[in-house]
Amino acid sequence: MRLPCPLCGERDRREFYYQGHATMLDRPARDAGIDAWDDYLHNRDNIAGEVEDLWHHEAGCGAWIKVTRNTVTHEVSGAKLVNGARK
Amino acid sequence: MGYSALKIFKEGLFGQKGWKPVWRNPEPKPEYDVIIIGGGGHGLSTAYYLAKAHGITNVAVLEKGYLGGGNVGRNTTIVRANYLLPGNSEFYSHSLKLWEGMEQDLNYNTMMSQRGIINLFHSDGQRDAFARRGNAMINQGDDAILLDRDGVKDMLPMIDYDNVRFPIYGGLYHPRGGTARHDAVAWGYARGADQRGVDLIQNCEVTGIDIEGGVVRGVQTSRGAIRAKKVAIVVAGRSGQVAAMAGMRLPIESHVLQAFVTEGVKPILDNVVSFGMGHFYISQSDKGGLVFGGDLDFYASYAARGNLPMAEHVTDAAMTLMPSIGKARVLRSWGGIMDMSSDGSPIIDKTQTDGLYLNCGWCYGGFKAVPGSGFSYAHLIAKDVHHEPASKFRLDRFRTGRGLMDEEGTGSQHNLH
Amino acid sequence: MRVAGKGLNAHGAPVTFTFDGTTFEGREGDTLAAALLANDVRLVGRSFKYHRPRGILTAGSEEPNALVTMGTDAAQDPNIRATTQEIYDGLAARSQNAWPSLNRDVMAVNDLLSPFLSAGFYYKTFMWPKSFWEKVYEPIIRRAAGLGALSGATNEDTYEKAFAHCDVLIIGAGPAGLMAALTAARSGADVILADEDSQMGGRLLAETYDVDGQAGADWAAGIVEDLRGMANVRLMTRTTVTGAYDQGTYGALELVNHHRTPNAAVPRECFWRIVAKRSILCAGALERPIAFPNNDRPGIMTAGAVRTYLNRWGVAPGKSVTVFANNDDAHRTAVDLVDAGVTVAGVIDSRADAPQFGDYPVFKSGLVIATKGRLCLESITVQHSGGTRDIRTDCLAMSGGWNPTVHLTCHMNGRPTWDDYILSFVPTDGSIPGMSVAGAASGVFSTHGCLESGIKIAREVVLELGLTAGDIDMPSADDSAYRIEPLWQVEGKGRKWLDFQNDVHVKDINLAAQENFRSVEHMKRYTTQGMATDQGKNSNVSALAVLADATGRGIPETGTTTFRPPYVPVSIGAMGAGAQGHGFAPERHMTSHHATLDRGAPMIEAGLWYRPSYFPKTGETTWLESCNREVNMVRNTVGICDVSTLGKIDIQGPDAAAFLDFVYCNTFLTLKENRVRYGLMLREDGYVMDDGTTARLGPNQYVMTTTTAAAGQVMKHLDWVSQALRPDLDVRFGSVTEQWAQFAVAGPKSRDLLNSILDQGIDGESWPFMACGDVQISGVAGRLFRISFSGEHAYEIAVPSRYGASLFRQLCAQAEAMGGGVYGMEALNVLRIEKGFITHSEIHGRVNAADIGFGRMVSQKKDCIGNTASQRPDVVGGEREQLVGLKPIDPKGKLTAGAHLFVDGADAVRVNDQGYVTSVCYSPTLGHDLALGFLLDGHNRHGETVQLVDHLRGVETVCEVCHPVFLDPDNTRAKETSNG
């Protein structure tokens, strides 16, 4: 498996750390309430198909990237820096 | 049809012509008391215990593929009750007891082999953590022995004690742990359920769950609508999709776990061994194949197949721990879809929909839970109260934080358990 | 026997080898199978279940029968395919799974019992009485497991792993692969051409076809020479592509030195990871046997294999050969044999309109309904349009048709498509992204078709890569049609074998269907069909056809099982190359490593690091003696300890303080310059991730320390917070763990010691507890932190790593001169337990700030990671296990880490479990054992007694619950300010 790091180019999967679905980018406000935080921390759409998920180019440039990837076929159709991905 | 020594002998003499189908191929009825979604190990054992322990036989198991085609048919067959935390301890302890009586109960040889499991540790800190675990096992009434380095050496001569990257300090030995013939477990439960009148319906995919006014009414399937008083979801890696049909979003992320088997070689390894620093575990099957696995591939996946980095990591671990198996050849690798919960422990609970039940979150350890999970789930479905040994597997523990069972201590990130 | 003048290696030098101790002569270039057949050795192995005598079935890596063991002791290598193993002088092979000998194998008694040992019989039996399965039956079954044996000795061979990258990977160097490679290479693509054989050419080496007017093998050699001369082509022989993975990654196994005398200087095998923009599968096709009664006797082979032995190695596998087939292709075997002067006793063709291509008898509508010969085929019974007759024959070449080698196309869950013309499965387009299929692998069977398809597919591929397709002339070659009629099984008395190695026959499949194991996956799992070392390459399609027949379905409706990687088995040694011994994980050494070893300290692992356990002195006989001395030394004089393994992260920027405030639960905005603060870091779920100190070195510069274990995790976390959650903060950071060597200088005389080495001395007023700043040591710029993990008046001094070794020696010498010395991890642990300082033994991932008594550190004036989740009402309070200290009531009482805690007098069972012990030491300062642990509502139970129970070590001790800080609760020692 290979992932396109926006800074480094395509690299082997073994350079990356995986965190999970990109919902982790949408951190609730401190006072958003227990349900919002429960949803954020634990619950996932867990889609069988195209998802956006979060990887860290740990053994590379250190960038956190949001990868568009299909969980059924493992096809990777793009990646953005989470930095740039936010607004 | 009962299996007996006499029957085997007679069939041998008469060309095996008398064996009957081990299960029927029924057409779905319009309505059942209970529909179980998922014909894997857990679904089949749930059906079996509904019928056997609760006399509920107007039951259908709906399986989108073939019976036992999910993780029960693609695992490393390990059975154990060596958990640390309350909640898990009593559940797996109960499950192991069911394993120990399974063959007689099912009249089916599932080849349960209590060859013992040894978890190796590699530092004082790991030893203390395993001691805590071992003491918890004994507190629960199960068995555990803390082996020192020499104790491990006596049992596992094939380990490279002098050169292994992380030295062997000792091991936590769980003699009652072992392996079983995975497919046979699914078939044994299927046969037992079928014999008691449960309809096992293959190639029947559930496409919707009918809910009216907060009460479940039945399911939509690729073979038409079926009504039911109760619907029980037990679909492992596909939990997210099926629960979504009932408007639920689960604390589950589906991941791929790979496993490997080598060509058959003459017996060299009697126990199940796990290498604490390498996420590597191995046993040898009765056919001679070395069966081994490691950690998740770590990315969400429904592909039921993995990639090379983890495969190589696992063989790397094999080579540092026991380089004497270097010339065994990996014959086949495969992957399963793991329903990783966010504390690494399972869920057996009711849902906000009346009559709809949920069983999921077994992560990469569902095989050993097959009897216990079915038993406890059947109890919940039949009586609407939790079976005591599974009473901590609540869905609301994530929200409140009360009663989390994070055995690995890695927190709410699903793939780290 | 050899046929004079035949074979590509007709002029090969003689090679001497042994099989089961008997010496034979072969020729250079022979496989072991070819050489054995040349010597008329037919019986080569025994099957798995029934120990039936077996010979050589194929001429390739798919061989199910002719598996041998080579080498002895650590070099012993089981399950080597005689059909691919090249011979060399001195090669010694042994048969497997037979005792006492291959000819007389006592386990063959299983074959007599076979009526009782049908498919799935295990599941129905061995259950009575209950205890007998594990005590009696399973041990017997287990003993029979496996084919070959491992030696049990530690591996002594070398293996390699490597990466390669290319534009186009071409898998298989037969006619299609060679043309594809030439086309792609001439178009300027970087090409890797991999073939599992020692010689490229594929079937052209085994056939008598001409290509472009030359012998096929000669033509192939010419193309290979052309390719070898091109800089953009890499030719990889003896290299089997084993798996197709995501984004164009392929696994491949190169047998680097199987074909030569073992040599420690040369790797035995190399496992390749090949990344290719595109790939072309040109892996050819595999011939399938026919299921007729007793079709497994030595001497019964695939028709294509017979041709291979004849044409490539000049070996006739029999004196009087018969052919049994349902297709035209197999007739070539008869033609070639006749041309070579070998007797062909008949071609039994199941088709009514069987053709005749040469001077040999043809039995139309012919079926082989029986065979005879125990250790080697002697005769067959043929039923044909003219009646029934026996034919004496010692070699039967059978062909049920050819199956395209679709395996790799299934590695990503692709399912092949049934093709009614060739009566087999062909790859489904798009099964592997970036992979195209050409030649016989795609179902094109004529040589002309293969050559043409190689060019065509390669042209498409290079165009897609944006290259201009080079011009290639299409060579002329045979273009006969492939004519075949279905023939899956032959009725008759006797077992009709499908999976030869696993001893699965037609009746087993029928029994599976009868018992409703009708799904192809159920059938496979119930019968073990296709699960042997060939993974069903020889038998799956036929077994599927039998199942389809038994269940009244067509083959496409019956479905297929999935082929999974690897295509050929890959040794653990190759896939795990480099990891044996200490290669498994990097080793990290502190700058003091060598000096530490010089002092005789036993090293222990701390993650990837090596750290000293203790520093033994002459006369000390136990670790505890040394440890006690080191603890006393720190408490009374001064001790030195290398703490460089702690993670160090340099954090800079105008928003650095705000950033720290967000990642730590306690406040950092108020930290002054030249001061250090303890920080507690939570995970977002509210539980403790890590702790450490952070020093403010300048207005916008901080250095954070992490625990050794969590250094990587914290770095990743900071990256996450900075990039994903707080990109608004202007902050930059980097790990400087490797850049700084850092040493603890701890004890009442620590300042005195420092003042003896610092260029400018320090005093208590300007350097109070938790101060930090720049210092100079012999002109070297360093940093000094007045922090303490021992509770003593202590410092940590840091210098650039290149000065670490030197500073360590200087510190140690100075300490020793002052009556102190160096201390290791054991003493460090005692010192911190005495002071109730936590490590990851306590913050093990399931505890929150409140549990460890730091609840009030979670500032409620700000947001931070973990703030909200840690405040949930259910995760704080008396229902939680909370950090406590434990002291034995009897000072001699023993405490153990991992023990559990119970109310005194309660049974030590789960329902009474109140907590557990995380850290234990003997305190030389206090004279008894101490422990840290977690106890239900522990913060409110100081002064109570509890029972500590460690079943595993047989320890039961009554303890007093106390505050976790056992020593100097007011921290007066660490805060010492006198200048004395």
Side-chain angles (χ1 to χ4, degrees):
Chain A
M1 178 179 277
R2 294 171 69 78
L3 298 172
C5 174
L7 299 182
C8 306
E10 189 187 271
R11 295 299 168 95
D12 196 276
R13 180 264 177 275
R14 59 194 91 203
E15 294 184 12
F16 297 85
Y17 169 87
Y18 179 83
Q19 188 196 62
H21 290 281
T23 50
M24 286 306 282
L25 288 170
D26 304 320
R27 187 173 184 268
R30 185 181 164 197
D31 56 0
I34 187 171
D35 290 329
W37 274 93
D38 176 36
D39 211 35
Y40 174 70
L41 286 169
H42 309 115
N43 296 333
R44 298 291 178 264
D45 289 337
N46 202 19
I47 292 162
E50 194 167 89
V51 298
E52 289 185 320
D53 50 17
L54 298 167
W55 302 73
H56 183 223
H57 198 183
E58 189 178 21
C61 62
W64 275 91
I65 62 176
K66 183 161 85 164
V67 176
T68 306
R69 192 177 61 92
N70 189 305
T71 56
V72 176
T73 63
H74 295 172
E75 184 191 355
V76 172
S77 49
K80 291 192 274 195
L81 297 175
V82 295
N83 231 337
R86 274 177 71 82
K87 298 345 168 260
Chain B
M1 180 191 311
Y3 297 145
S4 67
L6 182 63
K7 174 81 179 152
I8 305 275
F9 183 68
K10 277 163 74 178
E11 287 300 329
L13 291 183
F14 299 111
Q16 315 284 349
K17 294 206 174 74
W19 297 114
K20 297 281 190 303
V22 285
W23 51 69
R24 299 162 292 127
N25 292 336
E27 284 300 313
K29 293 192 278 196
E31 180 164 11
Y32 290 92
D33 290 340
V34 180
I35 281 176
I36 296 167
I37 306 175
H42 291 232
L44 293 167
S45 70
T46 302
Y48 174 78
Y49 290 115
L50 271 177
K52 178 159 191 263
H54 305 283
I56 299 173
T57 58
N58 185 25
V59 175
V61 176
L62 307 185
E63 167 54 49
K64 89 172 164 177
Y66 60 95
L67 296 176
N71 292 339
V72 73
R74 51 184 79 242
N75 60 75
T76 47
T77 79
I78 296 169
V79 174
R80 57 188 167 93
N82 61 350
Y83 279 72
L84 172 69
L85 299 176
N88 283 326
S89 286
E90 56 266 40
F91 173 81
Y92 289 103
S93 181
H94 177 247
S95 194
L96 181 56
K97 289 193 185 81
L98 293 175
W99 276 107
E100 288 170 333
M102 182 184 290
E103 281 147 15
Q104 309 299 315
D105 188 29
L106 297 178
N107 177 232
Y108 204 80
N109 190 353
T110 51
M111 302 188 204
M112 170 68 169
S113 173
Q114 292 180 287
R115 57 190 57 227
I117 294 177
I118 301 167
N119 295 115
L120 300 172
F121 48 79
H122 312 275
S123 68
D124 287 342
Q126 281 191 352
R127 180 199 56 222
D128 293 344
F130 271 115
R132 182 184 163 201
R133 175 182 300 264
N135 280 315
M137 292 158 66
I138 296 172
N139 289 341
Q140 173 57 38
D142 293 319
D143 62 329
I145 297 167
L146 199 63
L147 300 175
D148 61 11
R149 181 181 165 90
D150 287 340
V152 174
K153 257 185 167 169
D154 287 345
M155 294 185 70
L156 302 172
M158 79 291 294
I159 288 177
D160 186 2
Y161 292 89
D162 297 331
N163 298 306
V164 61
R165 169 65 177 85
F166 297 100
I168 311 298
Y169 276 50
L172 183 65
Y173 176 38
H174 173 37
R176 282 168 63 221
T179 60
R181 173 78 180 95
H182 58 355
D183 290 322
V185 176
W187 302 338
Y189 276 114
R191 172 170 166 266
D194 177 87
Q195 284 174 344
R196 286 166 176 79
V198 171
D199 283 354
L200 308 175
I201 302 169
Q202 305 185 70
N203 302 309
C204 180
E205 181 173 2
V206 170
T207 54
I209 297 177
D210 297 331
I211 298 168
E212 288 170 20
V215 181
V216 78
R217 298 295 183 199
V219 297
Q220 301 290 324
T221 79
S222 56
R223 294 170 69 171
I226 310 175
R227 292 190 303 279
K229 296 185 181 73
K230 295 182 174 184
V231 173
I233 301 171
V234 51
V235 294
R238 289 290 176 172
S239 295
Q241 280 83 61
V242 177
M245 295 174 194
M248 300 172 73
R249 195 160 176 260
L250 300 179
I252 301 281
E253 205 171 82
S254 292
H255 280 263
V256 55
L257 179 74
Q258 298 190 69
F260 309 86
V261 63
T262 68
E263 295 179 349
V265 289
K266 295 294 177 195
I268 188 169
L269 177 61
D270 285 335
N271 310 101
V272 182
V273 182
S274 80
F275 176 43
M277 293 302 290
H279 304 286
F280 166 72
Y281 53 92
I282 184 165
S283 66
Q284 187 171 18
S285 79
D286 284 345
K287 277 192 74 185
L290 294 165
V291 180
F292 60 96
D295 228 323
L296 298 175
D297 266 29
F298 285 122
Y299 45 83
S301 171
Y302 287 91
R305 60 177 181 81
N307 275 286
L308 281 174
M310 188 49 66
E312 290 178 42
H313 185 72
V314 167
T315 47
D316 282 355
M319 283 308 282
T320 189
L321 184 68
M322 41 178 78
S324 57
I325 65 168
K327 288 191 170 58
R329 292 186 174 79
V330 177
L331 181 61
R332 187 167 68 245
S333 62
W334 64 94
I337 309 170
M338 307 295 125
D339 38 334
M340 300 302 297
S341 72
S342 61
D343 69 351
S345 290
I347 297 159
I348 298 180
D349 208 348
K350 302 183 218 178
T351 66
Q352 81 274 15
T353 302
D354 271 0
L356 183 67
Y357 303 84
L358 180 67
N359 176 327
C360 64
W362 296 97
C363 301
Y364 43 77
F367 179 65
K368 63 187 169 292
V370 163
S373 166
F375 194 97
S376 295
Y377 200 29
H379 186 282
L380 178 69
I381 296 162
K383 297 180 184 293
D384 264 330
V385 291
H386 285 87
H387 182 229
E388 181 55 33
S391 58
K392 304 258 175 45
F393 293 166
R394 303 295 179 106
L395 185 52
D396 68 356
R397 67 181 188 267
F398 302 99
R399 180 175 178 276
T400 64
R402 180 196 298 264
L404 285 176
M405 287 163 285
D406 181 0
E407 293 269 340
E408 303 281 332
T410 43
S412 61
Q413 188 174 321
H414 304 74
N415 63 343
L416 295 183
H417 293 290
Chain C
M1 67 184 174
R2 252 355 133 167
V3 179
K6 280 291 281 184
L8 303 181
N9 68 337
H11 305 293
V15 173
T16 305
F17 68 98
T18 67
F19 177 64
D20 275 344
T22 308
T23 302
F24 295 101
E25 191 181 291
R27 269 184 202 157
E28 195 176 1
D30 277 348
T31 61
L32 178 57
L36 287 170
L37 287 171
N39 286 281
D40 295 326
V41 176
R42 304 302 191 82
L43 175 64
V44 181
R46 291 273 175 170
S47 65
F48 175 72
K49 187 172 169 186
Y50 298 135
H51 288 249
R52 298 203 22 116
R54 292 284 165 74
I56 292 157
L57 180 69
T58 72
S61 63
E62 71 277 18
E63 175 63 30
N65 290 339
L67 273 51
V68 300
T69 298
M70 288 175 48
T72 56
D73 303 318
Q76 181 166 317
D77 202 345
N79 301 349
I80 296 276
R81 278 71 174 158
T83 47
T84 56
Q85 174 64 47
E86 299 162 61
I87 58 168
Y88 51 82
D89 265 324
L91 178 149
R94 307 190 294 287
S95 59
Q96 307 182 145
N97 206 36
W99 185 85
S101 74
L102 192 55
N103 281 341
R104 296 168 178 277
D105 176 8
V106 298
M107 286 297 281
V109 68
N110 281 1
D111 202 25
L112 301 176
L113 296 174
S114 67
F116 303 96
L117 309 184
S118 61
F121 81 100
Y122 297 95
Y123 308 124
K124 299 169 183 164
T125 187
F126 299 132
M127 291 180 280
W128 316 282
K130 184 175 193 296
S131 63
F132 268 41
W133 165 248
E134 288 203 50
K135 294 215 173 80
V136 180
Y137 304 126
E138 195 197 20
I140 295 172
I141 292 170
R142 245 179 121 63
R143 225 171 291 145
L147 292 169
L150 298 170
S151 68
T154 289
N155 171 58
E156 291 175 3
D157 285 303
T158 51
Y159 294 85
E160 271 295 343
K161 278 200 267 200
F163 280 100
H165 297 257
C166 63
D167 292 330
V168 186
L169 168 66
I170 292 156
I171 302 161
L178 289 174
M179 286 322 287
L182 194 65
T183 305
R186 291 241 177 104
S187 309
D190 278 332
V191 171
I192 292 178
L193 175 60
D195 193 283
E196 65 177 344
D197 205 329
S198 57
Q199 198 176 335
M200 293 190 165
R203 279 306 295 178
L204 293 176
L205 307 179
E207 304 287 3
T208 49
Y209 304 116
D210 282 354
V211 177
D212 246 5
Q214 309 175 61
D218 293 341
W219 176 85
I223 299 290
V224 170
E225 272 321 297
D226 286 353
L227 291 168
R228 203 184 304 281
M230 298 171 79
N232 55 337
V233 176
R234 177 180 210 151
L235 301 177
M236 300 176 76
T237 52
R238 302 185 178 93
T239 304
T240 310
V241 175
T242 55
Y245 301 91
D246 289 311
Q247 279 82 39
T249 307
Y250 298 84
L253 179 70
E254 180 183 4
L255 301 181
V256 182
N257 204 44
H258 275 235
H259 62 293
R260 291 179 295 222
T261 310
N263 176 353
V266 180
R268 186 166 167 76
E269 300 166 10
C270 179
F271 186 70
W272 289 88
R273 287 73 56 96
I274 302 174
V275 179
K277 290 182 185 142
R278 295 292 310 264
S279 68
I280 306 175
L281 180 68
C282 307
L286 297 172
E287 200 168 21
R288 60 187 179 234
I290 300 169
F292 58 94
N294 292 313
N295 58 340
D296 66 331
R297 300 190 192 280
I300 303 179
M301 308 169 68
T302 62
V306 170
R307 278 201 310 282
T308 307
Y309 289 110
L310 178 69
N311 295 326
R312 181 159 174 192
W313 292 297
V315 174
K319 294 186 177 67
S320 176
V321 182
T322 42
V323 177
F324 178 27
N326 62 344
N327 63 76
D328 283 6
D329 184 72
H331 285 253
R332 295 187 178 279
T333 305
V335 170
D336 288 355
L337 286 165
V338 168
D339 285 352
V342 181
T343 304
V344 174
V347 173
I348 301 96
D349 193 317
S350 63
R351 298 171 294 176
D353 61 345
Q356 175 117 26
F357 297 114
D359 184 15
Y360 51 81
V362 173
F363 299 91
K364 294 186 180 182
S365 303
L367 298 171
V368 177
I369 57 169
T371 68
K372 283 195 184 131
R374 198 174 71 83
L375 298 181
C376 177
L377 182 68
E378 289 165 7
S379 70
I380 60 175
T381 305
V382 174
Q383 175 194 298
H384 62 105
S385 51
T388 302
R389 60 177 290 181
D390 288 350
I391 301 177
R392 289 201 67 78
T393 177
D394 57 350
C395 174
L396 173 63
M398 63 181 160
S399 176
W402 291 79
N403 299 324
T405 306
V406 301
H407 306 70
L408 284 171
T409 68
C410 302
H411 284 184
M412 292 191 186
N413 300 332
R415 295 285 166 142
T417 306
W418 182 255
D419 182 325
D420 261 330
Y421 177 70
I422 63 164
L423 296 177
S424 191
F425 289 96
V426 294
T428 302
D429 278 348
S431 291
I432 304 287
M435 178 188 276
S436 310
V437 188
S442 67
V444 175
F445 286 164
S446 78
T447 308
H448 171 86
C450 287
L451 296 164
E452 186 180 57
S453 131
I455 297 171
K456 174 174 168 286
I457 297 291
R459 288 178 69 90
E460 289 169 13
V461 164
V462 295
L463 290 174
E464 282 173 31
L465 287 170
L467 301 168
T468 308
D471 275 338
I472 303 288
D473 292 333
M474 172 65 204
S476 61
D478 173 81
D479 197 18
S480 323
Y482 174 72
R483 297 197 315 129
I484 182 168
E485 281 185 7
L487 175 64
W488 301 107
Q489 53 175 309
V490 176
E491 291 306 318
K493 195 168 152 24
R495 285 164 292 177
K496 292 153 268 191
W497 301 95
L498 292 163
D499 188 318
F500 283 73
Q501 189 182 109
N502 271 359
D503 285 326
V504 180
H505 53 92
V506 166
K507 234 164 108 178
D508 290 323
I509 310 293
N510 289 336
L511 179 61
Q514 177 187 330
E515 296 192 75
N516 205 9
F517 289 97
R518 292 160 52 95
S519 148
V520 61
E521 281 284 352
H522 282 153
M523 176 277 283
K524 162 190 150 187
R525 289 156 185 266
Y526 195 60
T527 62
T528 74
Q529 160 60 43
M531 294 169 85
T533 56
D534 69 325
Q535 289 288 285
K537 291 191 186 78
N538 298 287
S539 55
N540 268 2
V541 175
S542 304
L544 192 61
V546 171
L547 179 68
D549 206 28
T551 55
R553 294 173 291 186
I555 295 173
E557 296 84 73
T558 305
T560 59
T561 56
T562 307
F563 291 111
R564 295 189 179 276
Y567 173 72
V568 294
V570 179
S571 71
I572 290 174
M575 257 183 111
Q580 189 174 346
H582 281 217
F584 174 63
E587 296 180 300
R588 299 182 78 177
H589 291 167
M590 306 183 297
T591 57
S592 63
H593 189 76
H594 292 295
T596 303
L597 291 177
D598 290 345
R599 286 167 177 272
M603 285 291 196
I604 53 174
E605 279 78 3
L608 300 177
W609 291 95
Y610 285 83
R611 301 188 77 180
S613 180
Y614 56 95
F615 291 84
K617 285 253 154 114
T618 312
E620 291 173 347
T621 54
T622 67
W623 70 269
L624 186 59
E625 262 183 87
S626 306
C627 173
N628 287 343
R629 172 184 50 76
E630 290 172 14
V631 171
N632 288 330
M633 180 180 83
V634 174
R635 293 269 176 247
N636 298 317
T637 52
V638 64
I640 305 299
C641 182
D642 192 334
V643 294
S644 307
T645 63
L646 295 180
K648 298 179 278 289
I649 300 170
D650 194 298
I651 302 172
Q652 300 191 35
D655 293 329
F659 180 67
L660 289 168
D661 241 26
F662 194 71
V663 294
Y664 279 128
C665 71
N666 51 319
T667 305
F668 273 80
L669 277 174
T670 55
L671 180 64
K672 294 186 171 61
E673 278 183 58
N674 297 318
R675 285 293 179 274
V676 185
R677 185 168 288 176
Y678 175 78
L680 189 67
M681 200 176 278
L682 305 181
R683 297 188 309 237
E684 195 72 280
D685 65 357
Y687 295 89
V688 176
M689 173 191 285
D690 198 39
D691 69 346
T693 58
T694 289
R696 187 172 182 187
L697 300 176
N700 291 329
Q701 184 180 12
Y702 297 77
V703 62
M704 170 189 283
T705 62
T706 74
T707 60
T708 302
Q713 184 192 1
V714 169
M715 188 65 202
K716 194 153 51 201
H717 178 64
L718 298 188
D719 274 336
W720 163 251
V721 172
S722 161
Q723 296 174 39
L725 302 181
R726 298 302 304 273
D728 55 308
L729 297 177
D730 189 358
V731 60
R732 293 291 182 275
F733 48 86
S735 169
V736 292
T737 306
E738 299 280 350
Q739 280 68 29
W740 292 87
Q742 192 154 318
F743 306 96
V745 181
K749 293 189 179 173
S750 54
R751 187 189 298 126
D752 297 344
L753 188 155
L754 286 172
N755 279 335
S756 72
I757 63 158
L758 294 175
D759 294 355
Q760 288 188 320
I762 58 171
D763 61 40
E765 280 159 28
S766 56
W767 281 85
F769 184 50
M770 300 304 260
C772 67
D774 294 337
V775 290
Q776 293 232 331
I777 311 108
S778 307
V780 172
R783 291 168 178 173
L784 187 66
F785 310 88
R786 184 162 169 191
I787 54 180
S788 176
F789 196 54
S790 58
E792 294 301 321
H793 173 192
Y795 302 81
E796 289 184 12
I797 185 164
V799 290
S801 289
R802 61 188 179 279
Y803 302 111
S806 155
L807 178 60
F808 179 74
R809 277 193 295 272
Q810 197 181 351
L811 289 169
C812 291
Q814 207 63 31
E816 281 161 356
M818 296 167 72
V822 59
Y823 64 100
M825 289 302 98
E826 297 295 345
L828 180 141
N829 197 41
V830 174
L831 292 162
R832 69 99 188 167
I833 293 173
E834 288 178 339
K835 278 293 293 179
F837 290 140
I838 54 172
T839 66
H840 279 286
S841 294
E842 284 71 40
I843 45 174
H844 50 54
R846 289 177 294 268
V847 305
N848 60 41
D851 297 338
I852 51 174
F854 290 172
R856 274 183 292 176
M857 278 181 78
V858 186
S859 170
Q860 291 312 299
K861 294 179 188 151
K862 57 159 189 173
D863 192 9
C864 69
I865 296 290
N867 186 305
T868 308
S870 71
Q871 302 304 311
R872 287 177 290 177
D874 285 301
V875 299
V876 289
E879 280 188 35
R880 305 268 316 166
E881 289 161 340
Q882 296 163 338
L883 181 69
V884 294
L886 296 162
K887 295 188 282 204
I889 299 289
D890 174 355
K892 292 199 186 68
K894 188 173 164 54
L895 307 184
T896 52
H900 288 240
L901 303 172
F902 299 89
V903 172
D904 197 6
D907 288 341
V909 296
R910 176 181 51 82
V911 290
N912 295 331
D913 200 338
Q914 299 238 308
Y916 54 94
V917 178
T918 52
S919 296
V920 163
C921 71
Y922 171 75
S923 165
T925 318
L926 300 172
H928 55 78
D929 279 5
L930 300 178
L932 299 176
F934 287 82
L935 179 67
L936 211 58
D937 196 25
H939 295 159
N940 293 317
R941 294 173 67 179
H942 294 177
E944 286 185 24
T945 55
V946 294
Q947 173 93 339
L948 173 154
V949 179
D950 188 334
H951 301 285
L952 294 168
R953 290 121 155 179
V955 173
E956 291 189 16
T957 308
V958 181
C959 303
E960 181 194 330
V961 179
C962 61
H963 194 277
V965 181
F966 297 96
L967 190 71
D968 188 21
D970 299 327
N971 227 9
T972 49
R973 296 185 188 205
K975 290 177 177 168
E976 182 270 5
T977 54
S978 74
N979 288 316

